[in-house]
Amino acid sequence: GENVGLHLPTLSVQEGDNSIINCAYSNSASDYFIWYKQESGKGPQFIIDIRSNMDKRQGQRVTVLLNKTVKHLSLQIAATQPGDSAVYFCAESAHSGTYKYIFGTGTRLKVLA
Amino acid sequence: EAQVTQNPRYLITVTGKKLTVTCSQNMNHEYMSWYRQDPGLGLRQIYYSMNVEVTDKGDVPEGYKVSRKEKRNFPLILESPSPNQTSLYFCASSSTGTSGRQVGEQYFGPGTRLTVT
């Protein structure tokens, strides 16, 4: 959305460097986590997910790390490109009976040329 | 093309005038959900539906209604809109896998920007 990034923390990264975006989640019962990317004026787009029985999952240029002990999730983007500039959200869900999703407030990633 | 569509994309209305935002998906997804997005608050879930005739409240359901009479459609109804419902609204859908319980990747619509004066 156009104005949703006004109050967000911003991570500025040089093109070609690796980016690490962090997220603290709230519910120790959450067992499914997703990272979304939202470009200006568009809806969120799925990047990668991970279930609580894993602590790492890799995709194309992205890796998600899950630390259940401290309720922390991170998204690593390798060789950051200008097209990676967007707002990134983590989301958590507990599938044991409910299908509610709780989203983080987001981090804006700015890729510097 | 697999997609989630929302209508209208932009809406300006006045307090108390009932409105409906439509959402439709062509992926035969069982799960559908509505979110609102506000600056500094991220996405908050309003209602969700696991399948036809099955709906449940999210975190911020007050002032909203939904219905799921058909699998592809999940309209959001504001019976008496108020200014605090001014927001950007997103509809999303997902399959629930062979078990019917595993909600995976959600596909989001393009958003509806609602202003209530």
Side-chain angles (χ1 to χ4, degrees), chain A residues 38 51 95 99-101, chain B residues 31 37 45 57 101-102:
Chain A
Q38 187 175 24
R51 299 197 183 275
H95 279 183
Y99 297 87
K100 290 185 179 181
Y101 280 83
Chain B
Y31 182 91
Q37 187 173 40
Q45 192 169 31
K57 296 178 181 178
R101 296 188 68 247
Q102 294 295 306

Side-chain angles (χ1 to χ4, degrees), chain B residues 20 29 32-33 40 54 58 63 87-88:
Chain B
T20 300
H29 284 166
M32 297 186 75
S33 184
V54 180
S87 188
L88 180 60

Side-chain angles (χ1 to χ4, degrees), chain A residues 43-111:
Chain A
Q45 179 184 6
F46 174 91
I47 302 173
I48 191 168
D49 60 358
I50 187 168
R51 299 197 183 275
S52 59
N53 60 352
M54 303 172 71
D55 53 21
K56 179 179 179 179
R57 188 160 190 231
Q58 288 184 290
Q60 187 177 14
R61 277 202 311 120
V62 294
T63 300
V64 55
L65 298 177
L66 174 63
N67 185 330
K68 295 183 286 293
T69 304
V70 294
K71 294 191 286 186
H72 184 267
L73 199 62
S74 70
L75 176 71
Q76 300 178 1
I77 304 173
T80 311
Q81 302 168 0
D84 295 326
S85 292
V87 175
Y88 290 81
F89 297 96
C90 65
E92 60 181 290
S93 178
H95 279 183
S96 53
T98 67
Y99 297 87
K100 290 185 179 181
Y101 280 83
I102 299 172
F103 281 73
T105 52
T107 297
R108 175 178 295 284
L109 177 64
K110 281 180 129 173
V111 181

